[in-house]
Amino acid sequence: MEHDHLDFVESIEVLAKEAGLEVPREQGAPDRYEQNAGLLKVLTESATFFQNQLITHPDKARAKSYLSENRGLSGQIAKVFGLGFAPSGWDNLIKGLDQKAETQEHLFQAGMLIEKKDQAGHFYDRFRDRIMFPIRDSRGRVIAFGGRAFGDEKPKYLNSPETPVFHKSQELYGLYEAKQNTLNLDHIIVVEGYMDVIVLAQHGVTNSVATLGTSVNSQHIQKLFKLVNKITLCFDGDKAGRSAAIRGLEASLSVMQDSKQVRFLFLPDGEDPDSLIRKEGKDDFLNRLDDSSSMAHVLFDHARQEVSLADEEGEAQFAQNAMKHIQSMPDCTLKSILIKQLTEQSGINAESLAITSKKPQYNTAQSDPVSGYSESDHNEIPPQYDEPPGYYDDIAYEPYSSGHEDSGQFKKNTKPNTFSHKKGFSGKSFGKKAFENNDPFNLPKMPSLTPLSQIDNATLCLLLHPHVAKEIDVSDPLLRQPDPKIQLFSKVWRYFNKHSGKNTGHLLGNWHGNENYNAILFLLNHPDAHTKSKISNAKQEVKDVIERMEDGLGRNASSQRLKNQGNETIKDNDSRTELRQWMEQMRKKSVLNQQFLCIYPEEI
C-alpha cells in the first residue's frame, strides 16, 4: 500500500495475482475488470502496437520529430508514459492484432474501432495519424487512449469513448505514473492536459495529473484525498481558467475533510504548465506553487465578484453568496474557520449568516406542483409566504410588512385562503386533473391570493404583452437590484428585449426546469392574470411601475446618505438642498416620512 500507493483491496488483488491465487469475493459482486478481461487484454495489446509503430513504422521519423523537436520530450519520458504512434490508414490496428472476430468485437467494445454505417460487422480504426497516450488506471492497466493530432486537425485531442472499463469523469491521466515515480507522494497538482503532465514530469515535477476532457469534479477530489492531503488545482489565468477554477472550488467544497487542503494556482495569461516550466524552470514553478491561493481566498474573491452593488446591500449579497458555498461543505474544522472569516469580513454574526442562507420551507404534502397548496388547505391558514416553491429559491430574506405594495418586499399573509375556480388567462378552468400526464397546457388550480404587488403586475404585463419590452428602457441600477421580484422582472424584460419575435411560450420552454419557471407559472395563473390580458395600455403601466421603482431607488439612496451624515453635517447647503428635493419627491408620492420630520424639524 505504501510503496505503490494502493488502497487495501487493490494491494490484495496485486499480491494475489503475483501469487497465483484468486481473491474470494462476496457473491453477486464480481470485479468489473475481471468481467471485462477481454477488453483489458486488447487494450494492452493496442498500447504495445502503438509503441512499436513509434520504433518501426516507415513514417516514425515524423512522429519522433514532433515529440522531440516540437514538444521537447526525451525518449526516456516517452517510455515512462508509454507514448506511441497510430499511423495514417483505416485498418492498421485491425491488421496489427490477430484477425479473430472475437478480438475485433473486443476492440470495438473497448472503443478502439468504429463500425461502418453501411456495413454491419465491418470496422475501421478510431485513432489514425496521431500521437497516442495510453490512459492507465491506478493499478497501471491500460483502460483507454488519447490521441493528439500533429497539426491543426480537428479534433486536436481525441479520447476513447465511455466503455465498461473507462469512465472519463472518474479517471485522471498520469495518476499511476505519479504514484510510481514520486518518492514521497503527499501533494498532487491537477492540470488540464496530457502534455502538461508529461513535460512537468520531465522537468522533475512528477506529481501532476490531468482530467480527461472534463472539469474537476468531486469524484476526482475524493479519489485524490485517498492518496494525499494536499491538492493544487492549476489553471490558466484567462476567463476560461477562472470559470474552471470556480467549478473546481464547488467540487472541492462538497467533499472537504479535516486535515485536507485544496489550493489554486493561476498562471499568467497565455501560459500553461508546459510552456511555463520550460521558460522558468522547476524551481520557479515550485515557488509559484508555494504562493498559490488558498480555498478561502478564491471563495471570498468569487463571492465578491458576483456582487453588483458597492454599498450595504452589496455587502449583504456578498455574505449570502459566500455562505451559500460554505453551507455546501460537510461539517469540518475548515467550515467553522470559513464562517468565522466571513463574519469578520462582512460584519454579520454567524447566527444571522446561518439564518439568511436557509431556504424558506413550504408544506408540500399532497401539494399543487406550482402553488404549494394541497386539498387539505381549504379554509386553513396557508404557508407563511404566498409564493410557490422555487420562486425565491436561493434568495435569503426576512419576513417584512410595509404600508405600500410597491416596496418589492414580501407581505406576510395572515388571512385564510380558499381555492378559487375562476378562469385564468387561458380561459380554461383548473380542475383536479391539472398537470396529469405532464400536460403542459393544463395549469393547476390556484388559491385566491392577495392582489399582486406592482412589480409583479409589471412582470405579468410583459408576459402577456412581450412586444412591450422593446418599447421601454430599464436602467442599469434597476436591473442590478438584489430584490428577487425585481430580478425576475429584469430577466423577463431582458429576454423579450433581446428576442423580440418570441412569446411567453418560448420563454417557458427556454426556462423549463430552472428557478424562474415556477415563478412565471405562478404569475400567469394568478386570478389577476385575466384582467391584465385585457389591458390596452400595458406599455404605460409597465413604464409607470419602472418610474416608481427608479424614484424609490433615488429616495432610498438619498435617505440613507442623509441619515448617515447626522444632525451636524446636514446643516450644509448641499445637504439642505438634497433634503428639500427628497422631501418634495416624498410628497409627490404621498409617502411622507413623518419619523424623519420629527427627528430634524429645525433643519427643515
Side-chain angles (χ1 to χ4, degrees), residues 242-497:
R242 289 279 171 179
S243 298
I246 299 309
R247 293 192 291 272
L249 171 69
E250 293 170 345
S252 303
L253 286 170
S254 64
V255 295
M256 280 304 298
Q257 307 168 26
D258 285 331
S259 77
K260 304 297 184 181
Q261 183 181 174
V262 176
R263 298 187 68 84
F264 297 78
L265 175 60
F266 296 98
L267 304 182
D269 285 346
E271 300 285 359
D272 54 31
D274 175 355
S275 63
L276 194 62
I277 200 166
R278 293 176 193 276
K279 183 183 299 184
E280 296 183 349
K282 176 183 177 181
D283 291 342
D284 284 349
F285 185 82
L286 293 179
N287 288 336
R288 287 184 179 273
L289 283 174
D290 291 338
D291 293 334
S292 59
S293 301
S294 67
M295 174 179 281
H297 175 82
V298 174
L299 189 157
F300 292 137
D301 183 60
H302 173 59
R304 286 253 179 233
Q305 290 182 8
E306 290 184 305
V307 173
S308 56
L309 301 170
D311 54 19
E312 292 83 353
E313 288 152 336
E315 285 299 303
Q317 187 180 350
F318 156 70
Q320 179 186 330
N321 294 342
M323 196 61 182
K324 178 180 66 175
H325 290 295
I326 296 172
Q327 289 287 57
S328 69
M329 300 175 65
D331 291 335
C332 59
T333 304
L334 178 60
K335 183 176 184 178
S336 302
I337 292 173
L338 290 176
I339 292 175
K340 181 181 178 183
Q341 291 181 356
L342 181 57
T343 62
E344 294 171 352
Q345 291 196 29
S346 66
I348 304 174
N349 61 49
E351 292 75 13
S352 298
L353 286 171
I355 291 172
T356 57
S357 65
K358 291 180 179 178
K359 297 182 181 180
Q361 299 298 314
Y362 300 91
N363 176 12
T364 57
Q366 300 296 320
S367 63
D368 184 293
V370 173
S371 70
Y373 288 80
S374 64
E375 291 287 347
S376 62
D377 288 325
H378 282 278
N379 301 316
E380 298 291 337
I381 298 297
Q384 185 174 4
Y385 300 103
D386 293 340
E387 287 71 25
Y391 193 176
Y392 296 110
D393 279 2
D394 297 323
I395 301 296
Y397 57 88
E398 296 289 336
Y400 177 80
S401 177
S402 81
H404 44 94
E405 289 183 3
D406 62 348
S407 64
Q409 300 289 342
F410 300 95
K411 293 174 63 179
K412 191 168 182 179
N413 191 346
T414 58
K415 297 180 180 180
N417 278 6
T418 57
F419 284 99
S420 170
H421 294 280
K422 294 180 181 179
K423 290 185 177 181
F425 77 100
S426 65
K428 298 180 180 180
S429 61
F430 306 133
K432 292 184 178 180
K433 298 294 184 180
F435 270 41
E436 283 192 2
N437 301 321
N438 295 319
D439 185 351
F441 298 102
N442 284 329
L443 294 176
K445 62 187 176 182
M446 289 295 298
S448 175
L449 302 177
T450 54
L452 291 172
S453 66
Q454 290 188 345
I455 179 61
D456 281 337
N457 276 322
T459 305
L460 184 54
C461 283
L462 288 179
L463 292 169
L464 298 176
H465 308 276
H467 66 278
V468 169
K470 291 294 288 185
E471 302 175 20
I472 59 175
D473 292 320
V474 181
S475 64
D476 285 343
L478 186 58
L479 292 173
R480 293 196 299 268
Q481 286 302 297
D483 182 276
K485 292 190 177 186
I486 298 179
Q487 285 184 356
L488 180 64
F489 170 83
S490 300
K491 290 175 183 177
V492 172
W493 176 81
R494 276 194 292 257
Y495 180 86
F496 289 133
N497 186 265

